[in-house]
Amino acid sequence: MMIRLGLVGIGKIARDQHLPAIRADDRYELVATASRHAQLDGVPGHVDIAAMIAGDHRLGAVSICTPPVGRHAIAAAAIDAGLHVMLEKPPAATTTEISALADYARARGVTLFATWHSREAAGVGPARDWLSDKRIRAAHIRWKEDIRRWHPGQEWILDAGGFGVFDPGINALSIMAAILPAPLLLDAAQIDIPEGRGSPIAATMAMRSGDAEVTADLDFLQTGPQSWDIEVETDAGTLRLSMGGSVLELPGGEPVTREDREYPRLYTRFAELIAAGKSDVDIRPLQLVADAFLVAERRTVAPFQF
Amino acid sequence: MMIRLGLVGIGKIARDQHLPAIRADDRYELVATASRHAQLDGVPGHVDIAAMIAGDHRLGAVSICTPPVGRHAIAAAAIDAGLHVMLEKPPAATTTEISALADYARARGVTLFATWHSREAAGVGPARDWLSDKRIRAAHIRWKEDIRRWHPGQEWILDAGGFGVFDPGINALSIMAAILPAPLLLDAAQIDIPEGRGSPIAATMAMRSGDAEVTADLDFLQTGPQSWDIEVETDAGTLRLSMGGSVLELPGGEPVTREDREYPRLYTRFAELIAAGKSDVDIRPLQLVADAFLVAERRTVAPFQF
């Protein structure tokens, strides 16, 4: 059955990733959008979710790509209208908000899908399968990128509540929590906040999963080569995921690169969840970030200008 | 059926609250303790949970009163041994740890009870019942106490991960989340961290519950009269809970004080959960605290010495 979909938020991620995935998937018909600033040619546009819901589009589901602050109210309005809901990452501004949405979707009997697109990167599923019967000794995240290159002028990302370096880092945590067999738990963290800013420009995390030590090294000031790498040391050798999960290297093998189909896979999964009457809301990556702020040693570092 | 109970951690809260409640409740037999530093006369003592489990006491359940850091490993060992588990508040050092424990208890088929003792204060249940059919306009927490009086020399409480003023404040949040009909969500927070310390000595929170604005004002530097007060403004007048939930004043009525039986009620509830094969793990108060750290504007304030 065709899913009559509304898209909320028409920013860069919507145009680059969501729209091509929706248009290539014949299970979806994009019947309306909601955005304060933008419209799409040929699709009825509304200023907000309330107007879109009132717009008589016989909507079945919405995909929400607005920034995390304010997403709870949008998603709650959609659930209230009996619509299935898919959320960009991170699923909400706080852990409490996403937990409340999960409860509300359950009570209303609609599907809620909190997506973590990095988990759909080509190497992640095979990495999880390979690790499932290995003894994990240690694991490491190195997520180092240039904020000026990937987030030019996005001052809000360093405001309080903007997540700072955890905005990309949560992708690494979402992968690590998915591929390790035992729960990923936080012991300690250090966060470096530039003078006058509200969120960290660098962070380290000391975690554990079963007996294994897990570390994360997150940096927003990496010029030159960028790193989105995960390494897992096991009794059968070391697994390496690089390029954000796209490239997988198993012990003794060559790195394998496959085409990334992250967003098409998310929309496939959303359709499957709707058909099955189920939800998929994993709040652990967001919990790990909130926990990092909760336990962190804080340092004030040099002021940062874009 | 008698519950053969092991007590882990013999500190002030165990002696002041847990032991009297356990000894007054004929559903429990205290058969062993685990503590690195203390023992109880007439009860077999062990240095840690592993030794207690190995001690052939035919344990059925454990109550864990150690500090939150390290509690996850103790609880996981108990669940692993098939024991029912009751946790002092906060239930773990991080939100991820308590979520993992809840999953583990479910998988092992044992009862996990994450207690929030303040919810058992005499006024809380009647407050929740009275509010259930009211329209809530606003609500306020004023939780102001003297750290030197209630936490003398407890330097760790102001270390990173020590929760600071949220150590008492989480009690207020546990009450507020229990008495308001709609979920309690955080919008913003401000935390004041003394120079050289890792956790806040004062904090404010801006929250919402349905349409109602909810505020919290938490202070650790209150000399003179202490405040553990909650006020809820409704269409039927203002409800006041004071003395940490012990005293309830409804509109037009006199304040009503009843005897507090917080810990006896927790042990009654634990026995009921075990009998019913259920768990009770509400992570929302801890989520609200982690969320506060996640979104907070931070200020460095004057150094603090006990």
Side-chain angles (χ1 to χ4, degrees):
Chain A
M1 203 188 95
M2 185 74 92
I3 298 165
R4 295 178 62 82
L5 186 75
L7 181 71
V8 187
I10 309 180
K12 184 170 162 52
I13 193 75
R15 292 182 190 274
D16 290 355
Q17 300 290 349
H18 289 259
L19 284 171
I22 293 164
R23 287 182 165 146
D25 190 327
D26 58 15
R27 283 164 295 202
Y28 293 93
E29 186 180 358
L30 183 62
V31 296
T33 63
S35 167
R36 214 159 284 281
H37 308 294
Q39 292 206 36
L40 298 177
D41 287 346
V43 184
H46 301 278
V47 294
D48 59 24
I49 180 100
M52 188 172 81
I53 288 169
D56 198 25
H57 301 292
R58 292 180 294 125
L59 285 165
V62 296
S63 180
I64 302 176
C65 315
T66 57
V69 171
R71 203 179 284 161
H72 172 272
I74 296 168
I79 294 169
D80 195 47
L83 304 177
H84 306 297
V85 174
M86 171 165 150
L87 298 168
E88 245 301 337
K89 68 107 251 218
T94 64
T95 67
T96 324
E97 284 185 344
I98 184 59
S99 293
L101 287 177
D103 291 344
Y104 192 31
R106 196 177 308 116
R108 291 283 288 140
V110 300
T111 291
L112 180 65
F113 181 25
T115 67
W116 299 102
H117 66 81
S118 295
R119 287 187 175 171
E120 305 300 332
V124 174
R128 181 185 54 231
D129 294 343
W130 189 82
L131 289 170
S132 64
D133 61 354
K134 304 296 181 297
R135 183 171 174 84
I136 316 291
R137 291 190 173 141
H140 310 287
I141 290 168
R142 268 179 293 271
W143 225 252
K144 298 177 168 211
E145 65 179 50
D146 184 351
I147 184 175
R148 292 185 178 90
R149 181 163 156 202
W150 303 102
H151 305 272
Q154 292 180 14
E155 303 278 350
W156 60 267
I157 213 170
L158 292 175
D159 288 346
F163 285 57
V165 77
F166 289 98
D167 177 84
I170 201 170
N171 294 329
L173 295 169
S174 76
I175 294 174
M176 193 64 103
I179 64 176
L180 295 183
L184 183 59
L185 304 172
L186 180 76
D187 287 321
Q190 178 163 308
I191 63 182
D192 291 349
I193 302 182
E195 199 184 322
R197 300 278 186 174
S199 278
I201 196 125
T204 57
M205 301 167 77
M207 299 175 281
R208 66 189 191 283
S209 177
D211 296 335
E213 285 189 14
V214 182
T215 63
D217 189 355
L218 313 179
D219 191 358
F220 242 160
L221 295 175
Q222 176 85 354
T223 52
Q226 309 283 290
S227 309
W228 298 284
D229 300 332
I230 285 175
E231 223 176 69
V232 186
E233 302 168 26
T234 80
D235 57 351
T238 296
L239 172 152
R240 286 187 184 83
L241 270 173
S242 51
M243 296 301 292
S246 308
V247 181
L248 174 62
E249 185 180 356
L250 294 175
E254 293 297 305
V256 175
T257 309
R258 288 205 188 76
E259 188 201 359
D260 265 328
R261 301 191 73 256
E262 296 186 3
Y263 283 80
R265 288 167 66 154
L266 291 178
Y267 278 93
T268 296
R269 173 96 179 120
F270 188 37
E272 289 169 354
L273 288 167
I274 292 171
K278 292 189 173 165
S279 286
D280 178 350
V281 183
D282 181 3
I283 71 171
R284 290 175 297 167
L286 187 53
Q287 283 187 314
L288 284 165
V289 172
D291 287 342
F293 281 83
L294 175 65
V295 307
E297 307 264 1
R298 281 170 191 74
R299 293 193 306 197
T300 300
V301 297
F304 172 83
Q305 302 303 329
F306 277 93
Chain B
M1 202 187 97
M2 186 71 94
I3 298 165
R4 296 178 61 83
L5 186 75
L7 182 71
V8 186
I10 310 179
K12 184 169 162 53
I13 193 74
R15 292 182 191 275
D16 289 355
Q17 299 290 350
H18 288 261
L19 283 171
I22 293 164
R23 287 181 167 147
D25 190 327
D26 58 16
R27 283 164 296 203
Y28 293 92
E29 186 180 358
L30 183 62
V31 296
T33 63
S35 166
R36 213 158 285 281
H37 308 294
Q39 292 206 37
L40 299 177
D41 287 346
V43 183
H46 301 277
V47 292
D48 59 23
I49 180 99
M52 187 172 80
I53 287 169
D56 198 24
H57 302 292
R58 292 180 293 125
L59 285 165
V62 296
S63 181
I64 302 176
C65 315
T66 58
V69 171
R71 202 179 284 162
H72 172 272
I74 296 168
I79 293 169
D80 195 47
L83 305 177
H84 306 296
V85 174
M86 172 166 149
L87 299 168
E88 244 302 338
K89 67 107 247 205
T94 65
T95 67
T96 324
E97 283 185 345
I98 184 58
S99 292
L101 287 177
D103 291 344
Y104 192 31
R106 196 178 307 115
R108 291 284 288 139
V110 301
T111 291
L112 180 65
F113 182 24
T115 67
W116 298 104
H117 66 81
S118 294
R119 287 187 175 170
E120 305 299 331
V124 174
R128 181 184 54 231
D129 294 343
W130 188 81
L131 289 169
S132 63
D133 61 354
K134 303 296 181 297
R135 182 170 176 86
I136 315 293
R137 293 193 173 137
H140 309 287
I141 290 168
R142 269 178 294 271
W143 225 253
K144 298 177 167 211
E145 64 179 50
D146 184 351
I147 185 175
R148 292 185 177 91
R149 180 163 157 201
W150 303 102
H151 304 273
Q154 293 181 14
E155 303 278 350
W156 60 268
I157 212 169
L158 291 175
D159 288 346
F163 285 56
V165 77
F166 289 98
D167 178 85
I170 202 170
N171 294 329
L173 295 169
S174 77
I175 294 174
M176 193 64 103
I179 65 175
L180 295 183
L184 184 58
L185 303 172
L186 180 76
D187 287 320
Q190 178 163 309
I191 62 182
D192 292 349
I193 303 183
E195 200 185 321
R197 299 278 186 174
S199 278
I201 195 124
T204 59
M205 302 167 77
M207 299 174 281
R208 66 189 191 283
S209 177
D211 296 334
E213 284 189 14
V214 182
T215 63
D217 188 356
L218 313 179
D219 192 358
F220 242 161
L221 295 174
Q222 175 84 354
T223 52
Q226 309 282 291
S227 309
W228 298 284
D229 300 333
I230 286 175
E231 223 175 70
V232 185
E233 301 168 26
T234 80
D235 57 351
T238 296
L239 171 152
R240 286 188 184 81
L241 270 173
S242 51
M243 296 301 292
S246 308
V247 181
L248 174 63
E249 185 179 355
L250 293 175
E254 292 297 305
V256 174
T257 309
R258 289 205 186 78
E259 188 200 358
D260 266 326
R261 303 192 71 254
E262 296 186 3
Y263 283 81
R265 289 167 65 154
L266 291 179
Y267 279 93
T268 296
R269 173 96 179 120
F270 188 36
E272 290 169 353
L273 288 168
I274 292 171
K278 293 188 174 166
S279 284
D280 178 350
V281 183
D282 182 3
I283 71 171
R284 290 175 298 167
L286 187 53
Q287 283 187 315
L288 284 166
V289 172
D291 287 342
F293 281 83
L294 175 65
V295 307
E297 306 265 359
R298 284 171 188 74
R299 294 194 307 197
T300 301
V301 297
F304 173 82
Q305 303 302 331
F306 276 93

